[in-house]
Amino acid sequence: MVALARTAGAAVTALSLIGLLSYIIIHNTKSRLKPRSRKAAVKKGVVAAIGNTPLIRIDSLSDATGCEILGKAEFLNPGGSVKDRVALKIIQEALECGALSPGGVVTEGSAGSTAISLATVAPAFGCSCHVVIPDDAAIEKSQILEALGATVERVRPVSITHKDHFVNIARRRAHEANELASKYQDLSEIDNNINQLNDTDAAFETNSSKYLTNCKGGFFADQFENLANFRAHHEGTGPEIWEQVGGKLDAFVAAAGTGGTVAGVSRYLKEKDSSIKCFLVDPPGSGLFNKVTRGVMYTREEAEGRRLKNPFDTITEGIGINRLTENFKLAVLDGAFRGSDKEAVEMSRYVLKNDGLFLGSSSAMNCVGAVRVAQQMGPGHTIITILCDSGMRHLSKFYNAEYLAQYGLTPSASGLEFLGISSGENFNEFQCICFLLLSTYSE
């Protein structure tokens, strides 16, 4: 009887264990099949989607150079470019300090990307956007701005010292909006006095008539000199890069327009690890290469009195400048490289064909810079650059065959031979030595 009881008890225990295991298996299976809650992935509004962009390994360039070349995919921001970070920071700080009021108009002079970002972000804060853009910028940028509801004022390109430079006009538009807002405190006052506008009011009416009915003042974003630009990258882009690579990187390279990106990221990375090398890549016509490498912002043509009428002899948009901005002054750089328009065009087609990356002109120039850094440092290093925007807003110029042909920039390379890397071959020690020798005797 005892033996029988023991046998029965063992059987009950076994059945209990089997039952428990069955429950666990079924429960786990249901848990896997049950859709997970997506509450954690939901972000509130367009503003929350700005930043935290991924790092993308650019396989073709990495394999060709023997380095890990990573691009910060800023074209994945909701406004389509790295400038979303700047637009958000500028508007937030302006609202916090009272320089901008909800219902006000944000004005800016921009070649395109910052303007598009401001037009994307401003409505989220109840503001409007007035953009002054040079008329030689790609037409699709104006079209995007108008579709976003911004008022677009296209003007001829002139020197920054000219009162009608697009940046200076944008500054005036903000001043005009403030004068209008102070004179007419509410909608009824505007309606009653619409026929008594003075010359200043009339000028603003001509360029921004829709703001006459609800103007709450203007704010000039001033992306070139406003240090909110620098802070956006020093507090955002730089820390993101550092975290994404776990602090394991050797170099950072980017071109500069306002200088905010290269300054903010370079300074942050240097603060974390002073051994990280930071470089500028500069397009034709810009004086920043000379400033970084020689300490004086000039070119040989300028020194010889043969400066061209338009100093920005480049088809790349948004990068290259012949003055020092407050943002660029904060950059911490170890050197600079020249990049040509031809190299940028060829690079854009190369990474599109080999990596599926459809990049804008400044992004392509940054990739040129990344390869130059890899050539200088040699294989085995991790190099990061910025993929500022996509090619979608560069169709009429940078990706227009007829336009490129006019300037002798029709792409023809089959590989990376335009940067001295033989097709189908990885970058080797001999090529590295040759490049270093050539760099020594180049400008």
Side-chain angles (χ1 to χ4, degrees):
M1 289 293 292
V2 174
L4 182 60
R6 288 177 177 173
T7 302
V12 170
T13 300
L15 288 172
S16 298
L17 288 171
I18 292 172
L20 180 61
L21 289 171
S22 298
Y23 172 79
I24 292 172
I25 292 171
I26 292 171
H27 178 75
N28 287 343
T29 301
K30 287 182 177 179
S31 296
R32 287 195 298 269
L33 294 175
K34 185 180 179 180
R36 294 181 179 179
S37 172
R38 296 188 178 275
K39 288 184 178 180
V42 174
K43 294 186 176 182
K44 187 177 180 180
V46 68
V47 167
I50 295 174
N52 294 310
T53 55
L55 274 178
I56 296 176
R57 183 181 189 269
I58 307 178
D59 291 339
S60 65
L61 302 184
S62 299
D63 295 342
T65 61
C67 289
E68 287 294 294
I69 294 182
L70 311 177
K72 185 79 164 140
E74 291 297 294
F75 57 82
L76 294 177
N77 279 305
S81 83
V82 66
K83 296 298 186 177
D84 279 16
R85 298 175 184 268
V86 179
L88 176 58
K89 192 69 170 174
I90 286 176
I91 290 176
Q92 284 179 328
E93 289 191 3
L95 288 168
E96 288 170 3
C97 73
L100 173 66
S101 301
V105 53
V106 180
T107 74
E108 181 61 306
S110 169
S113 288
T114 301
I116 291 171
S117 293
L118 286 169
T120 300
V121 173
F125 293 94
C127 298
S128 303
C129 193
H130 180 103
V131 178
V132 185
I133 188 170
D135 62 13
D136 61 349
I139 189 62
E140 54 267 36
K141 293 184 179 180
S142 291
Q143 294 169 336
I144 293 170
L145 284 164
E146 290 170 350
L148 288 169
T151 295
V152 181
E153 189 176 348
R154 291 175 68 89
V155 300
R156 65 187 182 90
V158 292
S159 167
I160 186 65
T161 59
H162 195 288
K163 67 181 181 67
D164 289 330
H165 184 275
F166 61 93
V167 170
N168 297 329
I169 293 176
R171 183 183 287 105
R172 287 206 301 273
R173 296 291 173 253
H175 178 70
E176 291 162 2
N178 282 325
E179 285 194 338
L180 188 64
S182 63
K183 184 172 182 178
Y184 301 112
Q185 297 300 313
D186 54 46
L187 179 60
S188 61
E189 212 169 347
I190 294 175
D191 290 337
N192 292 334
N193 295 280
I194 195 69
N195 295 320
Q196 301 175 22
L197 295 174
N198 58 25
D199 292 340
T200 298
D201 300 331
F204 192 71
E205 179 183 14
T206 300
N207 295 289
S208 301
S209 58
K210 70 179 183 177
Y211 298 124
L212 284 171
T213 58
N214 62 354
C215 184
K216 297 295 188 295
F219 171 73
F220 176 47
D222 198 13
Q223 60 168 325
F224 288 88
E225 309 301 334
N226 190 335
L227 292 182
N229 184 346
F230 163 80
R231 287 188 286 273
H233 299 291
H234 188 259
E235 299 171 11
T237 318
E240 285 176 26
I241 289 172
W242 179 262
E243 183 178 349
Q244 286 171 318
V245 295
K248 299 185 183 302
L249 72 154
D250 300 289
F252 168 76
V253 60
T258 65
T261 305
V262 73
V265 174
S266 67
R267 183 166 288 271
Y268 180 84
L269 294 178
K270 287 285 193 180
E271 289 169 353
K272 299 298 290 186
D273 183 351
S274 60
S275 69
I276 296 172
K277 302 298 183 184
C278 295
F279 299 96
L280 171 79
V281 58
D282 209 31
S286 174
L288 296 180
F289 171 85
N290 297 291
K291 182 62 179 177
V292 174
T293 58
R294 301 173 184 171
V296 181
M297 185 172 285
Y298 69 90
T299 63
R300 288 176 179 172
E301 289 77 12
E302 291 168 338
E304 295 167 5
R306 294 188 285 112
R307 179 173 177 172
L308 298 179
K309 184 177 181 180
N310 178 11
F312 302 104
D313 302 315
T314 178
I315 65 165
T316 59
E317 294 185 354
I319 56 174
I321 193 171
N322 267 330
R323 69 182 192 275
L324 280 182
T325 67
E326 292 302 314
N327 283 288
F328 187 81
K329 289 177 184 178
L330 296 174
V332 185
L333 300 172
D334 295 283
F337 298 90
R338 277 288 193 201
S340 70
D341 282 350
K342 179 67 170 176
E343 290 168 345
V345 171
E346 294 286 9
M347 178 61 76
S348 68
R349 274 56 174 186
Y350 180 83
V351 294
L352 177 59
K353 176 183 177 181
N354 292 280
D355 302 276
L357 287 171
F358 184 39
L359 303 179
S361 58
S362 56
S363 301
M365 186 67 79
N366 283 350
C367 288
V368 169
V371 172
R372 290 300 192 198
V373 174
Q375 290 173 313
Q376 177 170 299
M377 298 186 76
H381 295 89
T382 297
I383 300 160
I384 292 175
T385 192
I386 304 292
L387 305 182
C388 312
D389 67 357
S390 77
M392 294 299 292
R393 55 186 67 166
H394 298 266
L395 299 177
S396 65
K397 293 178 67 176
F398 195 67
Y399 283 94
N400 184 313
E402 292 182 6
Y403 177 84
L404 294 178
Q406 294 175 19
Y407 296 94
L409 297 173
T410 301
S412 58
S414 58
L416 288 170
E417 61 267 25
F418 59 94
L419 292 178
I421 300 178
S422 300
S423 180
E425 294 181 7
N426 286 340
F427 193 67
N428 55 44
E429 188 174 350
F430 175 73
Q431 288 173 305
C432 182
I433 293 171
C434 289
F435 178 79
L436 288 173
L437 289 173
L438 288 172
S439 298
T440 303
Y441 295 101
S442 68
E443 53 173 9

